[in-house]
Amino acid sequence: EPEVTQTPSHQVTQMGQEVILRCVPISNHLYFYWYRQILGQKVEFLVSFYNNEISEKSEIFDDQFSVERPDGSNFTLKIRSTKLEDSAMYFCASSERFLAGEGTDTQYFGPGTRLTVL
Amino acid sequence: KNQVEQSPQSLIILEGKNCTLQCNYTVSPFSNLRWYKQDTGRGPVSLTIMTFSENTKSNGRYTATLDADTKQSSLHITASQLSDSASYICVVSAYGQNFVFGPGTRLSVLP
């Protein structure tokens, strides 16, 4: 069964450093998402991406965040200057069709990257 | 403000027993409601998806109900198994907006 993969599984970085989290969505999916989950808290939406553009983003997704689809398979989340409060599990997800509005496609999540900022 | 609340926060049951988890939401205008299962340290896995016109949806031993009038949903788990131990998350989408996640109910199934 196709699945979303993420690398690395765990990333440790120093405050102020840049990190890039990588995701390989399911191959025929067109819509991609990033979420984060701070330890012990609920999952929070960051950004959705389609056709090489951001479709929607939350208040959390400020100027220090960016997303990119550098080639036909990878989808990346970059945090330019990490802060302690960026420590969280970051989940990538993908779907065949857009899930806002009336879309009821299944959204598939990756296993997550645990980011620890020291 | 769009919000999703879940109860109970945590639940412990014995293997083989049934249980029901609750979700209340204030998301508007409502589009669809999803239940996810999240194992510790893993990404959420979709269990059910319901639109406004659906009031029940089953997936094996999982049965979700939706009352769009009272803005409530429930997830019923039948004949629980040890592998059902996980967090169960209710997620609601409004038209033109992305998902609002609930805090989850942590279920522990004991032998």
Side-chain angles (χ1 to χ4, degrees):
Chain A
E1 184 177 328
E3 59 182 12
V4 176
T5 59
Q6 291 184 242
T7 55
S9 57
H10 192 186
Q11 174 91 44
V12 181
T13 189
Q14 295 288 327
M15 188 171 59
Q17 294 296 304
E18 174 184 286
V19 295
I20 297 176
L21 310 183
R22 291 181 167 80
C23 167
V24 178
I26 295 173
S27 60
N28 65 328
H29 286 185
L30 301 177
Y31 296 90
F32 316 114
Y33 313 82
W34 282 102
Y35 296 87
R36 80 172 184 188
Q37 186 174 30
I38 295 170
L39 186 63
Q41 297 187 22
K42 65 181 182 179
V43 176
E44 299 172 292
F45 167 73
L46 292 178
V47 66
S48 59
F49 189 87
Y50 169 70
N51 198 28
N52 285 320
E53 288 185 350
I54 290 175
S55 303
E56 289 185 56
K57 60 182 181 178
S58 71
E59 294 174 350
I60 303 168
F61 195 86
D62 60 23
D63 291 344
Q64 71 160 342
F65 291 93
S66 62
V67 289
E68 194 178 32
R69 189 154 161 84
D71 53 43
S73 59
N74 289 286
F75 178 50
T76 63
L77 174 69
K78 180 191 292 186
I79 309 175
R80 289 193 182 82
S81 178
T82 51
K83 305 171 191 170
L84 296 176
E85 54 264 36
D86 293 328
S87 294
M89 183 76 95
Y90 288 81
F91 293 107
C92 172
S94 70
S95 63
E96 262 190 90
R97 292 184 287 271
F98 195 45
L99 296 184
E102 299 180 31
T104 55
D105 266 19
T106 298
Q107 189 177 46
Y108 294 87
F109 283 77
T113 292
R114 180 166 296 284
L115 177 64
T116 301
V117 182
L118 303 177
Chain B
K1 182 180 176 182
N2 289 332
Q3 276 192 308
V4 176
E5 298 177 343
Q6 293 186 242
S7 62
Q9 186 176 31
S10 62
L11 181 63
I12 301 173
I13 61 173
L14 295 177
E15 186 179 13
K17 298 297 186 182
N18 304 334
C19 67
T20 300
L21 314 181
Q22 301 292 339
C23 172
N24 299 317
Y25 62 92
T26 57
V27 177
S28 182
F30 175 84
S31 172
N32 59 78
L33 184 147
R34 301 162 185 257
W35 282 95
Y36 286 87
K37 176 186 179 186
Q38 185 180 24
D39 292 315
T40 301
R42 307 286 297 177
V45 174
S46 181
L47 295 177
T48 63
I49 305 169
M50 289 183 291
T51 61
F52 182 88
S53 59
E54 297 173 297
N55 55 24
T56 187
K57 182 74 70 78
S58 291
N59 177 3
R61 295 180 298 103
Y62 301 102
T63 299
T65 65
L66 173 64
D67 186 335
D69 291 332
T70 62
K71 299 186 178 180
Q72 295 179 326
S73 176
S74 66
L75 180 69
H76 186 75
I77 304 174
T78 304
S80 60
Q81 300 175 359
L82 298 179
S83 58
D84 291 334
S85 295
S87 286
Y88 290 85
I89 304 172
C90 175
V91 183
V92 184
S93 173
Y95 280 104
Q97 301 175 34
N98 251 294
F99 300 112
V100 181
F101 281 71
T105 292
R106 178 164 295 280
L107 175 66
S108 299
V109 181
L110 303 181

